Amino acid sequence: MSDSKLRLVRSFFNYRFFSIFLVFVALLLFFGFFSPHYRFTSLANIKILLGPGSEFSIIALGVGLLMVSGEFDLSVGSILVFCSFMFIRLFEIGMNLFLAGFITLGLGALLGFLNGFITTKARIPSFITTLGTMMLWRGVTLLLSLGYTRPFDTEVSPLLGSILTGKIGGVIPAQAIWFGAFGLVLGLVLHLHKFGNWIYATGDNKQAARAMGINTDRVKTICFMIVGVLCAFVAVMQIVRVSTFTSRAGDGWELKAIAASVVGGTSLMGGIGSMAGVFLGALTITVIENGLVLLRIPYFWTYIIFGLVIISSVLSSLYLERKRLGRD
Amino acid sequence: MTSSSGSEEERSLARMTGVEKWFGKVQALKGIDFEVRPSEVVGLVGDNGAGKSTLIKVLSGYHLADKGEIYFEEKRVNITSSLDARKLGIETVYQEQALAPNMSISRNIFMGREPAKPLGFMDKKSMDRGSMEALESIGLHLRSPDALIATLSGGERQGVAIVRALHFKAKLVILDEPTIALSVKEAREVLDFIKQLKREGISVIFITHNLYHVFPSADRFVVLGLGEKIADVEKKDTSIDELAELIVKPPSHD
Ligand SMILES: Nc1ncnc2c1ncn2[C@@H]1O[C@H](COP(=O)(O)OP(=O)(O)OP(=O)(O)O)[C@@H](O)[C@H]1O
Ligand SMILES: [Mg+2]
């Protein structure tokens, strides 16, 4: 009994996860000590990290799941902005906002389905498919919105506002709760559910998975749809928070989401990764971005630091993995 | 051999007739008749590219034949997917690694057929117990059902792949080059697994290039060459030398 519990703990805190955990703690300490006036650990900043910061992280969770199945999604930012436009239009025609929200989620699922359908049926690498849809959906949104911002009125539905962006106990942003909840649910699916086993099998050895009767095309398409729904969810959440539609929403998130997954130990080849790792990876990316701003380091340094963090985390997890396999 | 078991052997478990398969302009199978009887080990041999893998992939639902019929337990069947084949009781251990290297032993054994609790969550306890028992049953003692496939030796991997076939009450197990790239000791282990299958009344199709591996284990041999059946002989009517000659000889047309 205690042996199997120990195994569970060990596999949870596997080496990849452990290395990202160390990096994360080191970053927290670094920014905590070196940000001017300890602003990093101020309550206001922590609220920013957990509130708006969670928007990106929620999408990263889906991208991580998709990467375990062996595919990429470069179109997350564009799905997000297209869904934002849909939601603001439905708001403008006076639709009930909950209904509008569900329709927006449906659109996200549809856009994800299209990515999956094109990728699996036409056998196009998803890097290419989603590069195409990335341009397509942002282009369509720009065309329809003419690039103008549009106002949103939170007062129309205070309930929706408090569900998505309220503060639990006046302190904890609802976004953080959503991030945790999505992380937990997707983690349960990936690690304990049959479907999670199919995701791993599909990403690890597609031939084997197919020979065992797993419909790998369907598995991948569902993963794309999960990503699409998460993008739509965040689109609504973001509009409710900033009370504005902008056609720049989600710009640049696609690579950040992949970076978060990779930093969290997800393999670019598929088949390897954990939800806890992606969760921490997303937090890490958010913390780096936020911490550098607080240190008053010019923004372009962010890219350099991201680059270094990604490369070093991939190298260290590869090193640890090799050591483990060698020792066993 | 008693007369009753003799008539048993007349019945076929799986029978393929007139199977043809084209890959573009290449005809990989040119009208093959092939059969396996209950509890029989058939050695399927032939040169590289002879069509061995293609033939068994038709039987296991991986490829669809362009022509020909398949009978299972004397009933005409349509095998259009590996799921169809497995429903009949045909399990295949493919030449290409059929395991996911970064997944655990038990997750591999139950891949696609995970025992589930309500809501579709995996019953990990029964997966772990089931896989350890199945591994023990063929004499494979592995440390833990959580070990990753990538950490196993080649022989152990074949063992896991065979166990996966065994665990689901297969009537026919197809092994495509199960001893390739294995050490002498590991190959012997795999040959023992095959004997174990036969003892349990399971039929086996054993594809290999190594006649020394297949000869002691098989009851009958089918030789393919360039997509044609060159010979179909009982073990008592042939020898390793004769089989070796048949394999290198091009198919004759008379
Ligand atoms: N998926 C495929 N697409 C195109 N051609 C194929 C395919 N699979 C097999 N072939 C061709 O069909 C022929 C038979 O191949 P097959 O794999 O059945 O041979 P084999 O007897 O298993 O050989 P080996 O002993 O090398 O495994 C070969 O000419 C091969 O190139
Ligand atoms: Mg072959």
Side-chain angles (χ1 to χ4, degrees):
Chain A
M1 268 299 92
S2 72
D3 189 44
S4 77
K5 280 219 182 81
L6 200 71
R7 268 210 312 264
L8 195 74
V9 172
R10 215 184 302 149
S11 67
F12 188 73
F13 289 101
N14 61 37
Y15 291 94
R16 279 169 190 262
F17 182 80
F18 197 64
S19 58
I20 165 73
F21 187 70
L22 287 184
V23 170
F24 182 67
V25 171
L27 281 170
L28 288 186
L29 291 177
F30 178 83
F31 288 130
F33 281 115
F34 291 102
S35 62
H37 312 295
Y38 302 108
R39 211 175 281 147
F40 181 75
T41 45
S42 69
L43 191 61
N45 191 53
I46 289 175
K47 277 185 187 166
I48 290 178
L49 278 173
L50 294 178
S54 295
E55 290 169 2
F56 157 76
S57 299
I58 289 172
I59 292 182
L61 295 175
V63 171
L65 187 84
L66 177 67
M67 281 175 68
V68 173
S69 85
E71 300 293 343
F72 294 96
D73 194 342
L74 293 179
S75 69
V76 291
S78 303
I79 293 182
L80 184 142
V81 79
F82 192 39
C83 289
S84 298
F85 185 73
M86 173 68 127
F87 185 68
I88 200 86
R89 282 299 300 149
L90 295 175
F91 156 75
E92 286 170 0
I93 63 170
M95 184 184 276
N96 173 295
L97 286 186
F98 281 92
L99 183 59
F102 280 111
I103 293 179
T104 307
L105 292 183
L107 176 67
L110 177 70
L111 298 183
F113 174 79
L114 283 179
N115 278 339
F117 186 77
I118 297 171
T119 300
T120 56
K121 291 303 167 221
R123 292 166 203 256
I124 301 173
S126 51
F127 230 97
I128 307 299
T129 316
T130 58
L131 185 67
T133 53
M134 164 174 125
M135 297 183 181
L136 184 64
W137 302 129
R138 192 166 292 275
V140 169
T141 309
L142 283 168
L143 197 70
L144 294 175
S145 69
L146 301 173
Y148 295 130
T149 58
R150 287 157 181 259
F152 174 81
D153 183 6
T154 330
E155 295 310 311
V156 173
S157 174
L159 180 60
L160 185 70
S162 58
I163 290 175
L164 293 180
T165 59
K167 301 261 190 299
I168 311 294
V171 190
I172 303 169
Q175 291 100 317
I177 307 288
W178 283 108
F179 176 43
F182 280 123
L184 191 67
V185 170
L186 291 178
L188 287 175
V189 168
L190 182 63
H191 296 286
L192 300 178
H193 197 272
K194 282 199 299 196
F195 186 70
N197 211 41
W198 302 349
I199 295 178
Y200 276 112
T202 300
D204 199 5
N205 187 344
K206 196 173 116 190
Q207 244 56 38
R210 281 192 44 209
M212 288 299 112
I214 295 173
N215 186 336
T216 56
D217 287 354
R218 191 188 300 158
V219 169
K220 288 181 173 186
T221 304
I222 292 175
C223 290
F224 274 111
M225 290 172 73
I226 291 174
V227 174
V229 169
L230 291 177
C231 291
F233 184 85
V234 170
V236 175
M237 190 181 239
Q238 203 176 40
I239 283 200
V240 169
R241 176 174 65 85
V242 300
S243 298
T244 321
F245 160 83
T246 118
S247 56
R248 299 202 33 150
D251 197 15
W253 283 16
E254 49 288 325
L255 293 182
K256 256 170 54 182
I258 292 175
S261 307
V262 169
V263 166
T266 314
S267 163
L268 286 169
M269 325 293 280
I272 301 178
S274 72
M275 205 30 72
V278 179
F279 191 91
L280 263 191
L283 282 177
T284 303
I285 294 289
T286 307
V287 161
I288 292 177
E289 220 175 6
N290 172 270
L292 293 181
V293 171
L294 292 184
L295 289 183
R296 297 184 190 290
I297 289 174
Y299 189 72
F300 47 75
W301 273 98
T302 327
Y303 286 102
I304 296 177
I305 307 278
F306 276 169
L308 293 176
V309 168
I310 292 169
I311 292 174
S312 56
S313 67
V314 171
L315 285 180
S316 71
S317 65
L318 274 182
Y319 172 76
L320 288 166
E321 200 75 3
R322 235 171 254 151
K323 227 171 116 174
R324 182 170 62 117
L325 288 183
R327 205 177 43 214
D328 261 11
Chain B
M1 200 155 283
T2 66
S3 61
S4 73
S5 81
S7 65
E8 271 279 292
E9 297 215 342
E10 292 305 307
R11 264 187 32 225
S12 78
L13 178 67
R15 188 153 54 89
M16 307 168 80
T17 58
V19 172
E20 296 189 9
K21 177 70 191 172
W22 294 81
F23 290 112
K25 286 191 180 130
V26 181
Q27 189 175 12
L29 299 174
K30 304 174 181 166
I32 303 281
D33 297 327
F34 178 77
E35 100 176 306
V36 189
R37 294 185 275 257
S39 307
E40 185 187 37
V41 178
V42 177
L44 185 57
V45 295
D47 212 347
N48 289 112
K52 306 181 293 292
S53 295
T54 307
L55 182 69
I56 59 97
K57 279 180 174 171
V58 168
L59 185 55
S60 59
Y62 195 92
H63 287 321
L64 214 56
D66 297 313
K67 225 175 171 184
E69 284 155 17
I70 304 177
Y71 297 84
F72 197 78
E73 297 179 321
E74 302 296 351
K75 277 195 286 289
R76 173 85 195 270
V77 288
N78 245 333
I79 301 179
T80 56
S81 71
S82 47
L83 209 62
D84 287 346
R86 278 185 297 133
K87 275 188 194 139
L88 292 172
I90 302 174
E91 292 281 341
T92 310
V93 178
Y94 288 101
Q95 177 174 18
E96 301 82 21
Q97 263 302 337
L99 301 171
N102 294 301
M103 292 171 71
S104 69
I105 293 174
S106 68
R107 279 170 173 258
N108 264 281
I109 289 179
F110 289 96
M111 185 189 291
R113 287 179 286 202
E114 299 81 1
K117 296 187 287 198
L119 294 177
F121 286 97
M122 290 184 285
D123 185 351
K124 182 149 191 316
K125 262 198 194 121
S126 96
M127 281 169 66
D128 286 353
R129 194 168 355 97
S131 41
M132 286 321 262
E133 279 170 13
L135 288 166
E136 305 274 329
S137 78
I138 64 161
L140 197 55
H141 305 284
L142 295 174
R143 272 162 299 124
S144 142
D146 288 332
L148 299 189
I149 296 298
T151 64
L152 303 181
S153 77
E156 290 169 336
R157 286 180 206 188
Q158 281 299 342
V160 171
I162 291 171
V163 158
R164 180 166 67 184
L166 256 181
H167 190 78
F168 291 97
K169 313 261 177 293
K171 293 173 183 161
L172 171 61
V173 172
I174 303 171
L175 301 165
D176 196 351
E177 312 238 21
T179 55
I180 202 163
L182 295 188
S183 70
V184 175
K185 177 170 160 287
E186 289 171 341
R188 196 176 313 126
E189 282 169 13
V190 172
L191 297 176
D192 285 341
F193 301 153
I194 292 174
K195 280 194 199 122
Q196 183 69 28
L197 291 178
K198 186 176 163 65
R199 266 200 295 278
E200 300 196 6
I202 298 167
S203 305
V204 178
I205 300 174
F206 180 0
I207 301 181
T208 180
H209 283 273
N210 191 326
L211 289 174
Y212 294 93
H213 284 167
V214 75
F215 200 81
S217 338
D219 304 310
R220 189 162 54 88
F221 301 91
V222 172
V223 185
L224 295 189
L226 297 174
E228 291 179 47
K229 187 158 93 173
I230 297 178
D232 189 337
V233 286
E234 297 287 332
K235 172 150 72 184
K236 61 180 192 304
D237 301 326
T238 188
S239 66
I240 289 186
D241 290 338
E242 191 191 27
L243 287 173
E245 244 169 67
L246 284 169
I247 288 171
V248 296
K249 196 176 78 176
S252 62
H253 292 273
D254 31 26

